[in-house]
Amino acid sequence: MPLTSFAPGLSIQGFTPPLRLSDFKLVAFDMDSTLINIECVDEIADAAGRKEEVAAITEAAMRGEIADYKESLRRRVALLRGVTVADMELVYTQRLQLNPGAEKLVKACQAAGLKTLLVSGGFTFFTDRIRDKLGIDYTRSNVLEIESGPNCGQLTGRMVDQPWGDICDGAEKRRMLLETCAALGIDPRQAIAVGDGANDLPMMGEAGLSMAWHAKPRVREQAMVAVDEGGLDRLLEVVRP
């Protein structure tokens, strides 16, 4: 079913608005280029003088042109070796901002009783801070390994395996969405999923409502709501508080 224009810069398919937020119980967000304005891995790479190389891989992965997302992330993280925790702190304090409408949408969902989930192919250094800033209930993302000893405080160029697995890719985002729904005792159709890249499609496909925000073409085409102009809070035009 093709997307149809609902309002300038906002298209819908597969449902008739308005819906109500209270009909949903969970909202899941991607982080990089969705809740926040940057791709953190690209900005970290800038400190190593490798932003252009890393950003090209990120762009291809988000467009869905790289079949193995995990390998693409390992390649990018390997190029971060030697970047310091202080460099990442500067990315957070000087470059990272919440995208327009992010805080308003999260607060509206919370006020309507929805639980909130942040699932990211990015890193806990940033997701933990966004979680705390917005009061998000659940998160899943990747852990960057940090050197000890003489190079204490520098990235090793690797990630740390976690109890749930090695890397949060599209399959893991989907699994985390379904696990969270099961833990809450709700049907996935009572979940909203918001993202912009190809690795968000697996979770968006499980949710009862999916939104693509300033997304790659493939994601925009498959989402139920596509926002091409304005902030994340434009979802509230079709899902009323």
Side-chain angles (χ1 to χ4, degrees), residues 28 43 58 62 87 120 136 139 146 154 160 169 219 222 224:
E43 301 306 319
T58 300
M62 292 304 98
D87 291 327
S120 174
I136 287 173
T139 62
I146 299 172
Q154 294 185 5
V160 180
D169 61 353
V219 182
Q222 295 185 41
M224 298 171 70

Side-chain angles (χ1 to χ4, degrees), residues 12 24 30-31 47 70 75 99 107 111 131-132 135 141 143 151 179 186 208 225:
I12 63 171
F24 298 92
D30 170 51
M31 182 180 74
K70 288 187 178 184
R75 285 169 56 199
N99 270 324
K107 287 185 175 180
R131 174 198 66 199
D132 295 344
S141 58
V143 178
N151 295 319
E179 283 186 1
I186 65 172
V225 179

Side-chain angles (χ1 to χ4, degrees), residues 32 69 91 151-152 163 235 240:
D32 294 55
Y69 177 86
V91 170
N151 295 319
C152 181
L235 181 65
R240 301 291 170 80

